[in-house]
Amino acid sequence: EEIWKYVNPHMLYAKHLGLRGSYRKLKEAGDPKLAELERVVERVKASGWIRASGMYRFFGARSDGNTLALVCGKDTLATFTFPRQVAGERLSLADFVQPVSNGARPDSVALLITTAGAGVREKAEELKAAGEYLLCHCLQALAVETAEAAAEWLHRNIRERWGFPDPPDLTMTDRFQARYRGKRYSPGYPACPELSDQETIFRLLPGGKIGVELTEGFMMDPEASVSALVFHHPQARYYAV
């Protein structure tokens, strides 16, 4: 129930379930199509088919040019090399971590993995075979957004443990628009395009403990899962390379 408070209704109903128009305006108007979709989503929530799990860990971190090193004492645990913009601000994710400095205390980066749980795909196939197409679609949509919501919830907790909790007046809409300090970046997205970085994340953070494994193509199984590197730098933002 706590995780579902962090589900973005626009992403759930407009992007995944095909509802046209503003979720907020349709909700205020009592739109019958939205009401029907909400009833089915509530049925999925009550079914017990989705069980969110998550894990995270903090690491010491240093940067050197475009490379981010995760460290423990004097040992380097892993490195990530990120592309740099060829124009504009010429940003690289490594810029959001303190550079190598002799004797200086390392910076900090977090890794996280979340999932909506195993069995969603099998249950969706079962519902499809039984002709429950809308229920099947709502299950898959809510599973994807539950994994995203779990990442949002976990990221909030990470910010708190870093020592900068969200201000009391931060709304859920603000969170959906990432209007808080720091950002999280997932492999395969513009600033962190190398999907093979998943292998490094899963070596350092064993997703199998919460039932998430990597395929040979570095995709996550179950599909309704999220992995990310989390940066606390106040100037961190999303950008294209």
Side-chain angles (χ1 to χ4, degrees):
E1 290 299 328
E2 179 66 19
I3 294 297
W4 280 324
K5 295 176 185 176
Y6 289 76
V7 168
N8 185 334
H10 176 77
M11 295 296 290
L12 176 62
Y13 291 103
K15 179 180 178 180
H16 294 295
L17 297 178
L19 191 70
R20 295 184 178 181
S22 163
Y23 169 82
R24 180 182 58 82
K25 291 181 180 178
L26 292 170
K27 182 71 173 176
E28 291 174 351
D31 182 78
K33 290 184 179 179
L34 173 58
E36 173 61 19
L37 288 175
E38 288 182 322
R39 282 193 291 272
V40 179
V41 167
E42 288 303 316
R43 181 180 169 188
V44 173
K45 287 182 177 181
S47 68
W49 298 330
I50 294 176
R51 296 190 64 83
S53 299
M55 62 193 305
Y56 71 98
R57 181 181 171 187
F58 293 106
F59 292 87
R62 293 191 177 97
S63 67
D64 186 4
N66 292 6
T67 298
L68 164 68
L70 301 186
V71 301
C72 182
K74 294 182 179 180
D75 297 328
T76 297
L77 304 178
T79 59
F80 298 87
T81 299
F82 302 112
R84 185 171 294 279
Q85 290 177 303
V86 296
E89 297 176 279
R90 295 185 54 80
L91 291 173
S92 166
L93 285 188
D95 296 342
F96 301 136
V97 173
Q98 289 293 327
V100 173
S101 179
N102 291 332
R105 183 178 178 181
D107 204 338
S108 178
V109 163
L111 302 183
L112 68 77
I113 300 173
T114 65
T115 182
V120 170
R121 183 190 303 112
E122 291 77 6
K123 188 62 187 181
E125 289 297 328
E126 180 184 320
L127 292 171
K128 184 178 179 181
E132 294 275 10
Y133 299 114
L134 181 56
L135 188 59
C136 169
H137 193 37
C138 285
L139 169 59
Q140 293 172 310
L142 183 61
V144 169
E145 287 306 310
T146 296
E148 293 288 349
E152 192 69 74
W153 178 88
L154 199 55
H155 191 180
R156 189 209 73 191
N157 282 269
I158 288 171
R159 294 193 295 276
E160 290 175 355
R161 295 203 59 181
W162 257 324
F164 42 88
D166 296 337
D169 59 348
L170 190 79
T171 66
M172 202 58 76
T173 298
D174 291 333
R175 286 194 178 92
F176 296 150
Q177 297 175 353
R179 293 178 179 171
Y180 42 65
R181 174 173 166 173
K183 298 290 180 286
R184 63 181 184 273
Y185 303 86
S186 296
Y189 285 83
C192 184
E194 288 298 328
L195 203 56
S196 59
D197 284 341
Q198 292 275 48
E199 190 171 44
T200 304
I201 292 175
F202 273 71
R203 176 168 61 83
L204 297 173
L205 200 62
K209 288 185 176 182
I210 57 171
V212 185
E213 304 289 348
L214 279 186
T215 69
E216 291 183 359
F218 308 113
M219 302 298 289
M220 287 178 288
D221 184 21
E223 296 171 358
S225 302
V226 171
S227 66
L229 297 97
V230 188
F231 296 76
H232 66 75
H233 197 292
Q235 294 180 346
R237 55 194 175 278
Y238 297 118
Y239 59 88
V241 174

